[in-house]
Coordinates of all heavy atoms in Angstrom, one line a residue:
M13 N -26.0 27.1 -117.0 CA -25.5 25.8 -116.9 C -24.0 25.8 -117.1 O -23.3 25.0 -116.2 CB -26.2 25.0 -117.9 CG -25.8 23.5 -118.0 SD -26.4 22.7 -116.5 CE -25.9 21.0 -116.8
S14 N -23.5 26.5 -118.0 CA -22.0 26.4 -118.2 C -21.2 27.2 -117.0 O -20.1 26.7 -116.7 CB -21.6 27.1 -119.6 OG -22.0 28.5 -119.6
L15 N -21.9 28.1 -116.4 CA -21.3 28.7 -115.3 C -21.2 27.7 -114.1 O -20.1 27.7 -113.5 CB -22.1 30.0 -114.8 CG -21.6 30.7 -113.6 CD1 -20.3 31.3 -113.9 CD2 -22.5 31.8 -113.2
I16 N -22.2 27.0 -113.9 CA -22.1 26.0 -112.8 C -21.1 25.0 -113.1 O -20.3 24.6 -112.2 CB -23.5 25.3 -112.7 CG1 -24.6 26.3 -112.2 CG2 -23.5 24.1 -111.8 CD1 -26.0 25.8 -112.2
L17 N -20.9 24.5 -114.3 CA -19.9 23.5 -114.7 C -18.5 24.1 -114.4 O -17.6 23.5 -114.0 CB -20.0 23.1 -116.1 CG -21.2 22.1 -116.4 CD1 -21.3 21.9 -117.8 CD2 -21.0 20.8 -115.7
L18 N -18.4 25.4 -114.8 CA -17.1 26.1 -114.7 C -16.7 26.1 -113.2 O -15.6 25.9 -112.8 CB -17.1 27.5 -115.3 CG -15.9 28.3 -115.1 CD1 -14.7 27.6 -115.9 CD2 -16.1 29.8 -115.6
L19 N -17.7 26.5 -112.3 CA -17.4 26.6 -110.9 C -17.0 25.2 -110.3 O -16.2 25.1 -109.4 CB -18.6 27.1 -110.2 CG -18.9 28.6 -110.4 CD1 -20.2 29.0 -109.8 CD2 -17.7 29.4 -109.8
V20 N -17.8 24.2 -110.7 CA -17.4 22.7 -110.2 C -16.1 22.4 -110.7 O -15.3 21.8 -109.9 CB -18.4 21.9 -110.7 CG1 -18.0 20.4 -110.6 CG2 -19.8 22.0 -110.1
V21 N -15.6 22.7 -111.9 CA -14.3 22.3 -112.3 C -13.3 23.0 -111.6 O -12.1 22.5 -111.2 CB -14.1 22.5 -113.9 CG1 -12.8 22.5 -114.3 CG2 -15.1 21.5 -114.7
V22 N -13.5 24.4 -111.3 CA -12.5 25.1 -110.5 C -12.4 24.6 -109.1 O -11.2 24.4 -108.6 CB -12.8 26.7 -110.6 CG1 -12.0 27.4 -109.6 CG2 -12.7 27.3 -112.0
V23 N -13.5 24.3 -108.5 CA -13.4 23.7 -107.2 C -12.6 22.3 -107.1 O -11.8 22.1 -106.2 CB -14.8 23.6 -106.5 CG1 -14.8 22.7 -105.3 CG2 -15.4 25.0 -106.3
L24 N -12.9 21.5 -108.1 CA -12.3 20.2 -108.2 C -10.7 20.4 -108.5 O -9.9 19.6 -107.9 CB -12.9 19.3 -109.4 CG -14.3 18.8 -109.1 CD1 -14.8 18.1 -110.3 CD2 -14.2 17.9 -107.9
L25 N -10.4 21.4 -109.3 CA -8.9 21.7 -109.5 C -8.2 22.1 -108.3 O -7.1 21.7 -107.9 CB -8.8 22.7 -110.7 CG -9.1 22.2 -112.0 CD1 -9.0 23.4 -113.0 CD2 -7.9 21.3 -112.4
L26 N -8.9 23.0 -107.5 CA -8.4 23.5 -106.2 C -8.2 22.2 -105.2 O -7.3 22.2 -104.5 CB -9.1 24.6 -105.6 CG -9.0 25.9 -106.4 CD1 -9.9 26.9 -105.7 CD2 -7.6 26.4 -106.3
G27 N -9.2 21.4 -105.2 CA -9.1 20.3 -104.3 C -8.1 19.2 -104.7 O -7.5 18.5 -103.9
A28 N -7.7 19.1 -106.0 CA -6.6 18.1 -106.4 C -5.3 18.7 -106.4 O -4.3 17.9 -106.7 CB -7.0 17.7 -107.8
V29 N -5.0 19.9 -106.0 CA -3.7 20.4 -106.0 C -2.9 19.7 -104.9 O -3.4 19.5 -103.8 CB -3.7 21.9 -105.7 CG1 -2.3 22.5 -105.4 CG2 -4.3 22.7 -106.8
P30 N -1.8 19.1 -105.2 CA -1.0 18.3 -104.4 C -0.4 19.1 -103.1 O 0.3 18.5 -102.3 CB 0.1 17.7 -105.2 CG 0.1 18.3 -106.5 CD -1.1 19.1 -106.6
A31 N -0.6 20.4 -103.1 CA -0.1 21.2 -102.0 C -0.9 21.0 -100.7 O -0.3 21.2 -99.6 CB -0.1 22.7 -102.4
W32 N -2.2 20.5 -100.8 CA -2.9 20.3 -99.6 C -2.4 19.0 -99.0 O -2.1 18.0 -99.6 CB -4.4 20.2 -100.0 CG -4.9 21.3 -100.7 CD1 -5.2 21.4 -102.1 CD2 -5.2 22.6 -100.2 NE1 -5.6 22.6 -102.4 CE2 -5.6 23.5 -101.3 CE3 -5.1 23.2 -98.9 CZ2 -6.0 24.8 -101.1 CZ3 -5.4 24.4 -98.9 CH2 -6.0 25.3 -99.9
P33 N -2.3 19.0 -97.6 CA -1.8 17.8 -96.9 C -2.6 16.5 -97.2 O -2.0 15.4 -97.3 CB -1.9 18.2 -95.4 CG -2.1 19.6 -95.4 CD -2.7 20.1 -96.7
Y34 N -3.9 16.6 -97.3 CA -4.7 15.4 -97.4 C -4.6 14.8 -98.9 O -4.9 13.6 -99.1 CB -6.1 15.6 -97.1 CG -6.8 16.6 -98.0 CD1 -7.4 16.2 -99.2 CD2 -7.0 17.9 -97.6 CE1 -8.0 17.1 -100.1 CE2 -7.5 18.9 -98.5 CZ -8.1 18.5 -99.7 OH -8.8 19.4 -100.4
S35 N -4.1 15.5 -99.9 CA -4.1 15.0 -101.2 C -2.6 14.7 -101.8 O -2.5 14.5 -102.9 CB -4.7 16.0 -102.2 OG -4.0 17.2 -102.2
R36 N -1.6 14.8 -100.8 CA -0.3 14.6 -101.3 C 0.0 13.1 -101.7 O 0.8 12.9 -102.6 CB 0.7 15.0 -100.2 CG 0.8 16.5 -100.1 CD 1.9 16.9 -99.2 NE 1.9 18.3 -99.0 CZ 2.7 19.0 -98.3 NH1 3.6 18.5 -97.6 NH2 2.6 20.3 -98.3
S37 N -0.7 12.2 -101.1 CA -0.4 10.8 -101.4 C -1.3 10.3 -102.5 O -1.3 9.1 -102.8 CB -0.6 9.9 -100.1 OG -2.0 10.1 -99.7
W38 N -2.1 11.1 -103.1 CA -3.0 10.6 -104.1 C -2.3 10.4 -105.5 O -2.9 9.6 -106.3 CB -4.1 11.6 -104.4 CG -5.1 11.7 -103.3 CD1 -5.2 11.0 -102.1 CD2 -6.2 12.6 -103.1 NE1 -6.1 11.4 -101.3 CE2 -6.8 12.4 -101.9 CE3 -6.7 13.7 -103.9 CZ2 -7.9 13.2 -101.4 CZ3 -7.7 14.4 -103.5 CH2 -8.3 14.2 -102.3
G39 N -1.2 11.0 -105.7 CA -0.5 10.9 -107.0 C -1.1 11.6 -108.1 O -1.7 12.7 -107.9
Y40 N -1.1 11.0 -109.3 CA -1.7 11.8 -110.5 C -3.1 11.4 -110.7 O -3.7 11.8 -111.8 CB -0.7 11.4 -111.7 CG 0.6 12.0 -111.6 CD1 1.7 11.2 -111.4 CD2 0.9 13.3 -111.8 CE1 3.0 11.6 -111.3 CE2 2.1 13.9 -111.7 CZ 3.2 13.0 -111.5 OH 4.4 13.5 -111.5
G41 N -3.8 10.6 -110.0 CA -5.2 10.2 -110.2 C -6.1 11.3 -110.3 O -6.8 11.4 -111.3
P42 N -6.2 12.2 -109.3 CA -7.2 13.3 -109.4 C -7.0 14.3 -110.6 O -7.8 14.6 -111.3 CB -7.1 14.0 -108.2 CG -6.4 13.0 -107.2 CD -5.6 12.1 -108.1
S43 N -5.7 14.5 -110.9 CA -5.4 15.5 -112.0 C -5.6 14.8 -113.3 O -6.1 15.6 -114.3 CB -4.0 16.1 -111.8 OG -3.1 15.0 -111.9
G44 N -5.4 13.6 -113.4 CA -5.7 12.8 -114.6 C -7.1 12.8 -114.9 O -7.6 13.0 -116.1
G45 N -7.9 12.5 -113.9 CA -9.3 12.4 -114.0 C -9.9 13.9 -114.4 O -10.8 14.0 -115.1
L46 N -9.4 14.8 -113.8 CA -9.8 16.2 -114.1 C -9.4 16.6 -115.5 O -10.2 17.3 -116.2 CB -9.2 17.3 -113.1 CG -9.9 17.1 -111.7 CD1 -9.1 18.1 -110.8 CD2 -11.3 17.5 -111.7
G47 N -8.3 16.1 -115.9 CA -7.9 16.3 -117.4 C -8.9 15.8 -118.4 O -9.3 16.4 -119.3
I48 N -9.3 14.5 -118.0 CA -10.3 13.8 -118.9 C -11.7 14.6 -118.9 O -12.3 14.8 -119.8 CB -10.5 12.4 -118.5 CG1 -9.2 11.6 -118.8 CG2 -11.7 11.8 -119.2 CD1 -9.2 10.2 -118.3
L49 N -12.0 15.1 -117.7 CA -13.2 15.8 -117.5 C -13.3 17.1 -118.4 O -14.2 17.5 -119.0 CB -13.6 16.1 -116.0 CG -14.8 17.0 -115.7 CD1 -16.0 16.2 -116.1 CD2 -14.8 17.4 -114.3
L50 N -12.1 17.8 -118.3 CA -11.9 19.0 -119.0 C -12.0 18.8 -120.5 O -12.6 19.5 -121.3 CB -10.7 19.7 -118.7 CG -10.5 20.4 -117.3 CD1 -9.2 21.0 -117.0 CD2 -11.6 21.6 -117.3
I51 N -11.4 17.7 -121.0 CA -11.4 17.4 -122.5 C -12.9 17.1 -122.9 O -13.3 17.6 -123.9 CB -10.5 16.2 -122.7 CG1 -9.0 16.6 -122.6 CG2 -10.7 15.6 -124.1 CD1 -8.1 15.5 -122.6
V52 N -13.6 16.4 -122.1 CA -15.0 16.1 -122.4 C -15.8 17.4 -122.4 O -16.5 17.6 -123.3 CB -15.6 15.1 -121.4 CG1 -17.1 15.0 -121.5 CG2 -15.0 13.7 -121.6
L53 N -15.6 18.3 -121.4 CA -16.3 19.5 -121.5 C -16.0 20.4 -122.6 O -16.9 21.0 -123.2 CB -16.1 20.3 -120.1 CG -16.7 19.7 -118.9 CD1 -16.3 20.5 -117.7 CD2 -18.2 19.8 -119.1
I54 N -14.8 20.5 -123.0 CA -14.3 21.2 -124.2 C -14.9 20.7 -125.4 O -15.4 21.4 -126.3 CB -12.8 21.3 -124.3 CG1 -12.2 22.1 -123.2 CG2 -12.3 21.8 -125.6 CD1 -10.7 22.1 -123.1
V55 N -15.0 19.4 -125.6 CA -15.6 18.7 -126.8 C -17.1 19.0 -126.8 O -17.6 19.3 -127.8 CB -15.4 17.1 -126.8 CG1 -16.3 16.5 -127.8 CG2 -13.9 16.9 -127.0
L56 N -17.7 19.0 -125.6 CA -19.2 19.3 -125.7 C -19.4 20.8 -126.0 O -20.4 21.1 -126.6 CB -19.7 19.0 -124.3 CG -19.8 17.5 -123.9 CD1 -20.4 17.3 -122.5 CD2 -20.8 16.8 -124.9
L57 N -18.5 21.6 -125.5 CA -18.7 23.0 -125.9 C -18.4 23.3 -127.4 O -19.2 24.0 -128.0 CB -17.7 23.9 -125.1 CG -18.0 24.1 -123.7 CD1 -16.9 24.8 -123.1 CD2 -19.3 25.1 -123.6
V58 N -17.5 22.5 -127.9 CA -17.3 22.7 -129.4 C -18.4 22.2 -130.3 O -18.9 22.8 -131.2 CB -15.9 22.0 -129.8 CG1 -15.8 21.9 -131.3 CG2 -14.7 22.7 -129.2
I59 N -18.9 21.1 -129.8 CA -20.1 20.5 -130.5 C -21.3 21.4 -130.4 O -22.2 21.5 -131.3 CB -20.4 19.1 -130.0 CG1 -19.3 18.2 -130.4 CG2 -21.7 18.5 -130.6 CD1 -19.4 16.8 -129.8
G60 N -21.5 22.0 -129.2 CA -22.6 22.9 -129.0 C -23.7 22.3 -128.1 O -24.8 22.9 -128.1
I61 N -23.4 21.3 -127.4 CA -24.4 20.7 -126.5 C -24.5 21.5 -125.3 O -25.6 21.6 -124.7 CB -24.0 19.2 -126.1 CG1 -24.1 18.4 -127.4 CG2 -24.8 18.7 -125.1 CD1 -23.6 16.9 -127.2
I62 N -23.4 22.0 -124.8 CA -23.5 22.9 -123.5 C -23.6 24.4 -123.9 O -22.9 24.8 -124.7 CB -22.3 22.6 -122.7 CG1 -22.3 21.3 -122.2 CG2 -22.3 23.6 -121.5 CD1 -21.1 20.9 -121.3

């Protein structure tokens, strides 16, 4: 389960990199959302749910 979550987060991080032409106008939205997602995943790992 954690391997699947790790792969999903890596794919989302690569998709949110502003170097891609389609994501240059998105601003900080995707990276901020991914940051929140990473914080939630880290908290769940520390608690032991995942």
